[in-house]
Short mmCIF file of all heavy atoms in Angstrom, two decimals:
data_model
loop_
_atom_site.label_atom_id
_atom_site.label_comp_id
_atom_site.label_asym_id
_atom_site.label_seq_id
_atom_site.Cartn_x
_atom_site.Cartn_y
_atom_site.Cartn_z
N GLU A 19 15.64 0.07 3.27
CA GLU A 19 14.45 -0.80 2.94
C GLU A 19 13.21 -0.06 3.27
O GLU A 19 12.15 -0.13 2.57
CB GLU A 19 14.48 -2.11 3.85
CG GLU A 19 14.46 -1.97 5.32
CD GLU A 19 15.97 -1.89 5.92
OE1 GLU A 19 16.94 -1.61 5.15
OE2 GLU A 19 16.22 -2.08 7.07
N GLU A 20 13.25 0.90 4.23
CA GLU A 20 12.10 1.78 4.63
C GLU A 20 11.82 2.69 3.35
O GLU A 20 10.67 2.78 2.92
CB GLU A 20 12.36 2.68 5.79
CG GLU A 20 12.34 2.01 7.04
CD GLU A 20 12.64 2.86 8.27
OE1 GLU A 20 13.21 3.98 8.11
OE2 GLU A 20 12.42 2.37 9.33
N LEU A 21 12.99 3.29 2.85
CA LEU A 21 12.73 4.21 1.66
C LEU A 21 12.25 3.41 0.40
O LEU A 21 11.35 3.91 -0.33
CB LEU A 21 14.16 4.92 1.34
CG LEU A 21 14.01 5.92 0.16
CD1 LEU A 21 13.05 7.04 0.51
CD2 LEU A 21 15.41 6.55 0.12
N LEU A 22 12.69 2.36 0.21
CA LEU A 22 12.24 1.57 -0.88
C LEU A 22 10.79 1.03 -0.81
O LEU A 22 9.94 1.16 -1.73
CB LEU A 22 13.13 0.30 -1.20
CG LEU A 22 12.97 -0.54 -2.50
CD1 LEU A 22 13.25 0.54 -3.68
CD2 LEU A 22 13.99 -1.69 -2.55
N GLU A 23 10.40 0.76 0.33
CA GLU A 23 8.97 0.40 0.67
C GLU A 23 8.10 1.65 0.45
O GLU A 23 6.98 1.46 -0.09
CB GLU A 23 8.89 -0.14 2.11
CG GLU A 23 7.44 -0.53 2.45
CD GLU A 23 7.01 -1.76 1.96
OE1 GLU A 23 7.83 -2.62 1.40
OE2 GLU A 23 5.83 -2.15 2.08
N ILE A 24 8.48 2.70 0.93
CA ILE A 24 7.80 3.91 0.75
C ILE A 24 7.53 4.28 -0.69
O ILE A 24 6.49 4.62 -1.25
CB ILE A 24 8.37 5.19 1.57
CG1 ILE A 24 8.22 4.91 3.03
CG2 ILE A 24 7.68 6.48 1.22
CD1 ILE A 24 9.27 5.88 3.84
N LEU A 25 8.74 4.28 -1.47
CA LEU A 25 8.56 4.59 -2.90
C LEU A 25 7.79 3.52 -3.70
O LEU A 25 7.21 3.89 -4.73
CB LEU A 25 10.06 4.63 -3.47
CG LEU A 25 11.00 5.78 -2.91
CD1 LEU A 25 12.38 5.61 -3.48
CD2 LEU A 25 10.47 7.08 -3.26
N SER A 26 7.75 2.37 -3.13
CA SER A 26 6.92 1.32 -3.88
C SER A 26 5.53 1.35 -3.59
O SER A 26 4.64 1.05 -4.54
CB SER A 26 7.60 -0.14 -3.65
OG SER A 26 8.94 -0.19 -4.05
N ARG A 27 5.16 1.45 -2.32
CA ARG A 27 3.83 1.16 -1.89
C ARG A 27 3.03 2.33 -1.44
O ARG A 27 1.80 2.58 -1.68
CB ARG A 27 3.93 0.10 -0.85
CG ARG A 27 2.46 -0.52 -0.40
CD ARG A 27 2.57 -1.61 0.52
NE ARG A 27 3.48 -1.34 1.73
CZ ARG A 27 2.99 -0.75 2.79
NH1 ARG A 27 1.69 -0.39 2.81
NH2 ARG A 27 3.79 -0.46 3.82
N ILE A 28 3.79 3.21 -0.53
CA ILE A 28 3.04 4.34 -0.04
C ILE A 28 2.93 5.49 -0.88
O ILE A 28 1.88 6.32 -0.83
CB ILE A 28 3.92 4.79 1.26
CG1 ILE A 28 4.06 3.68 2.25
CG2 ILE A 28 3.14 5.96 1.90
CD1 ILE A 28 2.69 3.10 2.80
N ASP A 29 3.78 5.78 -1.81
CA ASP A 29 3.69 6.72 -2.88
C ASP A 29 3.50 6.24 -4.23
O ASP A 29 4.39 5.88 -4.98
CB ASP A 29 5.10 7.50 -2.90
CG ASP A 29 4.86 8.91 -3.61
OD1 ASP A 29 3.99 8.89 -4.55
OD2 ASP A 29 5.72 9.80 -3.37
N PRO A 30 2.18 6.04 -4.62
CA PRO A 30 1.76 5.39 -5.94
C PRO A 30 2.37 6.13 -7.15
O PRO A 30 2.51 5.53 -8.17
CB PRO A 30 0.30 5.33 -5.85
CG PRO A 30 -0.09 6.41 -4.85
CD PRO A 30 0.96 6.49 -3.92
N ASP A 31 2.62 7.40 -6.96
CA ASP A 31 3.15 8.19 -8.15
C ASP A 31 4.40 7.75 -8.61
O ASP A 31 4.72 7.70 -9.86
CB ASP A 31 3.27 9.70 -7.64
CG ASP A 31 1.92 10.37 -7.40
OD1 ASP A 31 0.85 9.71 -7.66
OD2 ASP A 31 1.96 11.37 -6.65
N VAL A 32 5.32 7.22 -7.86
CA VAL A 32 6.66 6.89 -8.16
C VAL A 32 6.40 5.58 -9.11
O VAL A 32 7.04 5.44 -10.11
CB VAL A 32 7.58 6.66 -6.97
CG1 VAL A 32 8.89 6.09 -7.42
CG2 VAL A 32 7.77 7.92 -6.20
N LEU A 33 5.77 4.60 -8.63
CA LEU A 33 5.65 3.28 -9.42
C LEU A 33 4.85 3.57 -10.57
O LEU A 33 5.29 2.95 -11.62
CB LEU A 33 4.85 2.30 -8.56
CG LEU A 33 5.01 0.84 -8.93
CD1 LEU A 33 6.46 0.49 -9.23
CD2 LEU A 33 4.19 0.02 -8.01
N LEU A 34 3.87 4.42 -10.65
CA LEU A 34 3.11 4.77 -11.84
C LEU A 34 4.02 5.42 -12.96
O LEU A 34 3.92 5.09 -14.10
CB LEU A 34 1.95 5.67 -11.51
CG LEU A 34 1.05 5.95 -12.68
CD1 LEU A 34 0.41 4.81 -13.31
CD2 LEU A 34 0.01 7.17 -12.31
N ASP A 35 4.87 6.31 -12.38
CA ASP A 35 5.84 7.03 -13.26
C ASP A 35 6.83 6.03 -13.84
O ASP A 35 7.18 6.11 -15.10
CB ASP A 35 6.63 8.05 -12.50
CG ASP A 35 7.52 8.90 -13.18
OD1 ASP A 35 7.00 9.62 -14.12
OD2 ASP A 35 8.73 8.89 -13.09
N PHE A 36 7.27 5.06 -13.05
CA PHE A 36 8.20 3.98 -13.61
C PHE A 36 7.46 3.17 -14.73
O PHE A 36 8.00 2.82 -15.69
CB PHE A 36 8.60 3.08 -12.51
CG PHE A 36 9.23 1.70 -12.96
CD1 PHE A 36 10.51 1.77 -13.58
CD2 PHE A 36 8.55 0.53 -12.74
CE1 PHE A 36 11.13 0.60 -13.90
CE2 PHE A 36 9.24 -0.64 -13.26
CZ PHE A 36 10.31 -0.66 -13.84
N ARG A 37 6.19 2.84 -14.59
CA ARG A 37 5.38 1.99 -15.42
C ARG A 37 5.24 2.70 -16.77
O ARG A 37 5.32 2.19 -17.88
CB ARG A 37 4.11 1.58 -14.87
CG ARG A 37 4.28 0.51 -13.72
CD ARG A 37 2.92 0.35 -12.99
NE ARG A 37 3.02 -0.71 -12.07
CZ ARG A 37 2.18 -0.85 -10.98
NH1 ARG A 37 1.10 0.07 -11.02
NH2 ARG A 37 2.21 -1.72 -10.18
N LYS A 38 5.02 4.03 -16.66
CA LYS A 38 4.91 4.82 -17.85
C LYS A 38 6.28 4.95 -18.60
O LYS A 38 6.30 4.98 -19.92
CB LYS A 38 4.38 6.19 -17.60
CG LYS A 38 2.91 6.17 -17.04
CD LYS A 38 2.56 7.72 -16.78
CE LYS A 38 1.07 7.84 -16.46
NZ LYS A 38 0.75 9.22 -16.06
N ALA A 39 7.30 5.03 -17.92
CA ALA A 39 8.58 5.15 -18.56
C ALA A 39 9.13 3.84 -19.11
O ALA A 39 9.99 3.84 -19.98
CB ALA A 39 9.66 5.70 -17.56
N SER A 40 8.74 2.70 -18.44
CA SER A 40 9.14 1.49 -18.93
C SER A 40 7.88 0.52 -19.16
O SER A 40 7.80 -0.49 -18.53
CB SER A 40 10.00 0.88 -17.77
OG SER A 40 11.06 1.79 -17.56
N PRO A 41 7.17 0.78 -20.20
CA PRO A 41 5.92 -0.01 -20.45
C PRO A 41 6.15 -1.38 -20.85
O PRO A 41 5.39 -2.21 -20.65
CB PRO A 41 5.26 0.74 -21.61
CG PRO A 41 6.47 1.44 -22.37
CD PRO A 41 7.36 1.80 -21.32
N LYS A 42 7.46 -1.83 -21.28
CA LYS A 42 7.67 -3.24 -21.71
C LYS A 42 8.35 -3.99 -20.51
O LYS A 42 8.58 -5.17 -20.73
CB LYS A 42 8.69 -3.08 -22.90
CG LYS A 42 8.03 -2.57 -24.10
CD LYS A 42 8.90 -2.74 -25.33
CE LYS A 42 8.21 -2.09 -26.64
NZ LYS A 42 9.14 -2.19 -27.69
N SER A 43 8.47 -3.38 -19.45
CA SER A 43 9.05 -4.06 -18.27
C SER A 43 7.99 -5.00 -17.70
O SER A 43 6.82 -4.79 -17.74
CB SER A 43 9.54 -3.20 -17.12
OG SER A 43 10.62 -2.47 -17.65
N PRO A 44 8.47 -6.20 -17.03
CA PRO A 44 7.50 -7.04 -16.53
C PRO A 44 6.54 -6.35 -15.40
O PRO A 44 7.02 -5.46 -14.67
CB PRO A 44 8.26 -8.18 -15.79
CG PRO A 44 9.64 -8.07 -16.58
CD PRO A 44 9.86 -6.66 -16.97
N ALA A 45 5.43 -6.76 -15.18
CA ALA A 45 4.40 -6.15 -14.26
C ALA A 45 4.99 -6.31 -12.89
O ALA A 45 5.43 -7.43 -12.57
CB ALA A 45 3.07 -6.67 -14.45
N THR A 46 4.99 -5.33 -12.04
CA THR A 46 5.55 -5.46 -10.76
C THR A 46 4.73 -4.55 -9.81
O THR A 46 4.27 -3.45 -10.28
CB THR A 46 7.06 -5.14 -10.75
OG1 THR A 46 7.48 -5.26 -9.28
CG2 THR A 46 7.37 -3.79 -11.28
N ASP A 47 4.54 -4.86 -8.58
CA ASP A 47 4.07 -3.95 -7.55
C ASP A 47 5.13 -3.26 -6.81
O ASP A 47 4.69 -2.65 -5.67
CB ASP A 47 3.03 -4.59 -6.75
CG ASP A 47 3.63 -5.90 -5.99
OD1 ASP A 47 4.77 -6.09 -6.27
OD2 ASP A 47 2.88 -6.51 -5.18
N ARG A 48 6.30 -3.49 -7.04
CA ARG A 48 7.42 -2.79 -6.31
C ARG A 48 8.38 -2.16 -7.21
O ARG A 48 8.55 -2.61 -8.39
CB ARG A 48 8.15 -3.81 -5.46
CG ARG A 48 7.37 -4.44 -4.26
CD ARG A 48 8.11 -5.26 -3.41
NE ARG A 48 9.35 -4.51 -2.82
CZ ARG A 48 9.19 -3.87 -1.65
NH1 ARG A 48 8.12 -3.77 -1.05
NH2 ARG A 48 10.32 -3.21 -1.24
N LEU A 49 8.90 -1.15 -6.76
CA LEU A 49 9.94 -0.45 -7.66
C LEU A 49 11.17 -1.28 -7.67
O LEU A 49 11.70 -1.83 -6.62
CB LEU A 49 10.36 0.96 -6.99
CG LEU A 49 11.36 1.81 -7.74
CD1 LEU A 49 10.68 2.51 -9.02
CD2 LEU A 49 11.96 2.89 -6.88
N PRO A 50 11.65 -1.80 -8.81
CA PRO A 50 12.81 -2.57 -8.88
C PRO A 50 13.94 -2.09 -8.19
O PRO A 50 14.35 -0.91 -8.37
CB PRO A 50 13.00 -2.74 -10.48
CG PRO A 50 11.79 -2.48 -11.14
CD PRO A 50 11.01 -1.45 -10.27
N PHE A 51 14.69 -2.99 -7.42
CA PHE A 51 15.72 -2.51 -6.68
C PHE A 51 16.78 -1.98 -7.52
O PHE A 51 17.61 -1.01 -6.99
CB PHE A 51 16.35 -3.72 -5.81
CG PHE A 51 17.31 -3.24 -4.91
CD1 PHE A 51 17.03 -2.58 -3.66
CD2 PHE A 51 18.71 -3.59 -5.20
CE1 PHE A 51 18.09 -2.36 -2.85
CE2 PHE A 51 19.70 -3.16 -4.30
CZ PHE A 51 19.40 -2.47 -3.13
N VAL A 52 17.10 -2.46 -8.75
CA VAL A 52 18.10 -1.86 -9.54
C VAL A 52 17.85 -0.45 -9.96
O VAL A 52 18.81 0.46 -10.01
CB VAL A 52 18.29 -2.64 -10.81
CG1 VAL A 52 16.95 -2.62 -11.74
CG2 VAL A 52 19.47 -2.32 -11.61
N ILE A 53 16.67 0.10 -10.01
CA ILE A 53 16.23 1.45 -10.25
C ILE A 53 16.81 2.20 -9.17
O ILE A 53 17.45 3.36 -9.29
CB ILE A 53 14.89 1.61 -10.50
CG1 ILE A 53 14.34 0.66 -11.70
CG2 ILE A 53 14.48 3.05 -10.75
CD1 ILE A 53 14.96 1.22 -12.95
N TRP A 54 16.55 1.86 -7.89
CA TRP A 54 16.87 2.53 -6.73
C TRP A 54 18.32 2.54 -6.54
O TRP A 54 19.06 3.54 -6.24
CB TRP A 54 16.19 1.99 -5.49
CG TRP A 54 16.93 2.41 -4.16
CD1 TRP A 54 17.73 1.53 -3.34
CD2 TRP A 54 17.21 3.69 -3.60
NE1 TRP A 54 18.17 2.20 -2.26
CE2 TRP A 54 18.02 3.51 -2.42
CE3 TRP A 54 16.82 5.00 -4.00
CZ2 TRP A 54 18.48 4.56 -1.66
CZ3 TRP A 54 17.28 6.03 -3.18
CH2 TRP A 54 18.07 5.78 -2.10
N SER A 55 18.99 1.46 -6.84
CA SER A 55 20.46 1.12 -6.51
C SER A 55 21.33 2.03 -7.42
O SER A 55 22.34 2.65 -7.03
CB SER A 55 20.86 -0.28 -6.61
OG SER A 55 20.71 -0.73 -8.00
N ARG A 56 20.74 2.35 -8.63
CA ARG A 56 21.60 3.16 -9.65
C ARG A 56 21.45 4.64 -9.09
O ARG A 56 22.43 5.29 -9.08
CB ARG A 56 20.84 3.14 -10.96
CG ARG A 56 21.18 1.91 -11.80
CD ARG A 56 20.62 2.00 -13.22
NE ARG A 56 20.94 3.24 -13.82
CZ ARG A 56 20.07 4.16 -14.17
NH1 ARG A 56 18.79 4.06 -13.94
NH2 ARG A 56 20.54 5.14 -14.83
#
C-alpha cells in the first residue's frame, strides 16, 4: 500500500504517464490497482 501511494501521489510522473497512455480511461487521481497488480 505504501508503494501504490507513492506511485499515485508522491511521484506525479507515473500517473501522468498512465493518463497519456490511457486517455479514454475514467479520470482518476490514483494509479488503478489493476495496473500495479499486473
Side-chain angles (χ1 to χ4, degrees):
E19 58 271 21
E20 289 177 343
L21 183 55
L22 193 57
E23 179 75 10
I24 293 166
L25 295 173
S26 296
R27 187 172 57 82
I28 302 298
D29 191 335
D31 296 342
V32 176
L33 195 56
L34 181 62
D35 185 66
F36 165 72
R37 288 170 178 162
K38 286 182 178 179
S40 306
K42 296 183 180 180
S43 296
T46 177
D47 58 356
R48 291 184 62 83
L49 185 72
F51 184 77
V52 66
I53 301 297
W54 157 247
S55 63
R56 284 181 56 245

